[in-house]
């Protein structure tokens, strides 16, 4: 192994953040692109220092005519690295990026749990984080969408949890390309990355280069730092909002089998607006049939100080909110 600055950078980061403890069983998601190859090579090289048990998994979405060749290429690399490998192949057409992402993470969770791996790692970089922040901002996200791609999250809802870890979030895409060049790693060029019908590709290939050239050469780093700050603040606000939710929101079963929800509006009205919005968003996510948008939440905010009897416009699923004395009642029409 040739020790490089990238090896040292990742080794120091893993010690500081304790992302992948010694003796961990780690499943590496490898697409064959430069970021995942860089991560896999660095982890293989560092394995003797950390006593990990490493394995590899590749997901074939069957979007491209060369996807089977891509999979074979990755499996050959697994053999070269001397790690076990699994291949997951989609059995139906995945029509969108969102569908592909949902299928991929579901299959990764299945493999990790079935094979006894505690951690799944992906090659998301600082560049990916910046692109996701920008993409979410354009779509009108809140602060949760800015604090995107956290270092660690649970891969599924089962127990014990499998942790999804992104160790390369301080690496730029240029740095991962440099590692691949230094280590002579054979990158599989994914032709779908050039397809501008995928909006993320347009952000990567058109919008970010424009911002770097005309506004800030360090746009990616600035956006990634924004994500890091927002993630910490979001975690704190979520904790505070969860406690406030238990104090202000209650549910009761109705004769119609539909739940009705009540908000203690006097108590919630005393809380900061940021927490009010989070509590109401959590309630609406629980009650109505579709994810609430900004206007759904603001309609409920207005009821906190409205006269008795005031009603909202109907929410999706024929839910309506009404001021009933000291509470706001959310129920089916």
């Amino acid at each position: 192994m040739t020790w490089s600055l990238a090896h040292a950078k990742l080794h120091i980061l893993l010690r500081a953040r304790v992302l992948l403890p010694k003796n961990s069983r780690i499943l590496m998601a490898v697409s064959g692109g430069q970021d995942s190859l860089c991560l896999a090579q660095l982890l293989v090289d560092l394995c003797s220092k950390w006593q990990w048990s490493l394995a590899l998994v590749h997901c074939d979405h069957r979007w491209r005519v060369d996807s089977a060749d891509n999979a074979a290429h990755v499996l050959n690399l697994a053999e070269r690295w001397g790690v076990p490998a699994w291949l997951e192949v989609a059995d139906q057409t995945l029509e969108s990026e969102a569908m592909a992402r949902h299928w991929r993470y579901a299959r990764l969770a299945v493999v990790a749990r079935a094979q006894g791996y505690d951690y799944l790692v992906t090659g998301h970089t600082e560049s990916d984080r910046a692109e996701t922040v920008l993409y979410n901002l354009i779509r009108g996200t809140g602060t949760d969408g800015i604090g995107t791609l956290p270092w660690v999250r649970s891969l599924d809802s089962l127990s014990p949890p499998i942790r999804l870890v992104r160790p390369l979030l301080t690496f730029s895409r240029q740095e991962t390309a440099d590692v691949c060049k230094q280590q002579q790693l054979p990158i599989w060029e994914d032709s779908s990355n050039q397809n501008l019908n995928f909006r993320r590709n347009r952000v990567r290939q058109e919008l970010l280069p424009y911002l770097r050239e005309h506004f800030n050469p360090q746009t990616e780093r600035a956006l990634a730092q924004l994500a890091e700050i927002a993630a910490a603040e979001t975690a704190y606000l979520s904790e505070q909002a969860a406690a406030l939710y238990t104090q202000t929101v209650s549910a009761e079963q109705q004769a119609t089998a539909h739940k009705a929800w009540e908000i203690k509006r006097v108590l919630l009205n005393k809380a900061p607006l940021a927490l009010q919005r989070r509590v109401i968003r959590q309630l609406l996510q629980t009650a109505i049939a579709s994810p609430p948008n900004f206007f759904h939440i603001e309609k409920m905010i207005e009821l906190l100080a409205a006269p008795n009897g005031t009603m909202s416009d109907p929410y999706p699923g024929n839910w309506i909110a009404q001021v009933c004395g000291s509470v706001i009642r959310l129920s089916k029409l």
Side-chain angles (χ1 to χ4, degrees):
M1 178 191 81
T2 302
W3 188 263
S4 67
L5 290 176
H7 288 87
K9 179 176 179 176
L10 182 57
H11 182 61
I12 292 169
L13 184 144
L14 292 176
R15 285 198 306 181
R17 288 187 171 269
V18 198
L19 295 174
L20 301 169
K22 280 191 173 183
N23 303 306
S24 297
R25 289 179 55 79
I26 302 169
L27 184 63
M28 305 180 292
V30 178
S31 67
Q34 70 179 48
D35 298 336
S36 63
L37 289 190
C38 168
L39 176 60
Q41 183 68 66
L42 292 178
L43 292 184
V44 167
D45 291 345
L46 292 174
C47 187
S48 61
K49 294 182 178 295
W50 291 84
Q51 290 83 54
W52 295 317
S53 295
L54 297 177
L56 178 154
V57 60
H58 175 78
C59 290
D60 179 359
H61 302 92
R62 295 174 60 194
W63 271 354
R64 297 173 281 113
V65 294
D66 64 345
S67 66
D69 293 334
N70 185 171
H73 174 72
V74 172
L75 296 180
N76 287 335
L77 285 171
E79 186 176 352
R80 163 178 156 180
W81 285 320
V83 299
W86 288 272
L87 172 64
E88 292 293 308
V89 182
D91 57 4
Q92 60 182 353
T93 302
L94 302 170
E95 299 178 352
S96 68
E97 290 177 275
M99 286 180 61
R101 191 177 307 109
H102 178 78
W103 171 80
R104 182 169 64 251
Y105 279 114
R107 297 313 304 166
L108 292 173
V110 168
V111 173
R113 196 164 289 283
Q115 303 302 328
Y117 288 91
D118 308 309
Y119 296 89
L120 174 83
V121 294
T122 63
H124 289 106
T125 64
E126 178 182 84
S127 303
D128 290 306
R129 210 176 196 187
E131 291 164 6
T132 306
V133 169
L134 196 53
Y135 180 67
N136 287 346
L137 282 171
I138 293 169
R139 295 194 304 166
T141 186
T143 52
D144 288 12
I146 298 174
T148 190
L149 293 183
W151 288 92
V152 182
R153 71 168 176 86
S154 294
L155 189 57
D156 58 20
S157 58
L158 300 180
S159 182
I162 296 171
R163 291 176 175 83
L164 170 62
V165 179
R166 301 178 173 103
L168 297 186
L169 288 182
T170 58
F171 284 69
S172 68
R173 191 164 288 121
Q174 183 58 56
E175 287 178 286
T176 64
D178 291 343
V179 169
C180 290
K181 183 177 180 180
Q182 292 162 5
Q183 302 292 324
Q184 298 182 332
L185 296 174
I187 299 170
W188 190 275
E189 298 294 345
D190 185 344
S191 58
S192 65
N193 288 337
Q194 307 305 315
N195 185 351
L196 295 183
N197 289 326
F198 296 135
R199 293 177 181 176
R200 288 177 182 270
N201 289 345
R202 198 173 289 277
V203 169
R204 176 181 300 177
Q205 297 184 35
E206 296 184 345
L207 185 53
L208 270 171
Y210 182 86
L211 294 175
R212 283 195 299 265
E213 180 180 355
H214 297 284
F215 290 91
N216 181 0
Q218 298 297 319
T219 291
E220 289 182 12
R221 180 142 300 172
L223 288 170
Q225 289 170 351
L226 173 62
E228 186 72 9
I229 293 168
E233 295 182 356
T234 295
Y236 172 76
L237 288 171
S238 296
E239 181 180 328
Q240 298 298 308
L244 183 60
Y245 184 93
T246 61
Q247 298 171 22
T248 57
V249 178
S250 59
E252 59 181 86
Q253 198 73 27
Q254 300 298 295
T256 59
H258 292 298
K259 279 185 176 179
W261 305 83
E262 289 187 349
I263 303 172
K264 297 175 182 175
R265 65 180 187 135
V266 176
L267 181 58
L268 185 58
N269 204 25
K270 294 177 181 178
L273 179 59
L275 295 182
Q276 292 177 7
R277 284 174 171 156
R278 285 181 173 274
V279 167
I280 290 172
R281 184 180 65 179
Q282 183 178 338
L283 170 59
L284 293 177
Q285 285 173 334
T286 304
I288 69 178
S290 58
N293 60 34
F294 176 79
F295 300 104
H296 293 152
I297 295 169
E298 292 305 292
K299 280 195 300 185
M300 191 82 77
I301 292 286
E302 292 172 3
L303 295 181
L304 290 176
N308 188 40
T310 305
M311 299 176 65
S312 70
D313 297 330
Y315 285 92
N318 285 328
W319 290 86
I320 194 160
Q322 182 176 15
V323 177
C324 300
S326 63
V327 301
I328 298 172
R329 188 177 185 81
L330 181 66
S331 58
K332 281 278 190 176
L333 278 173

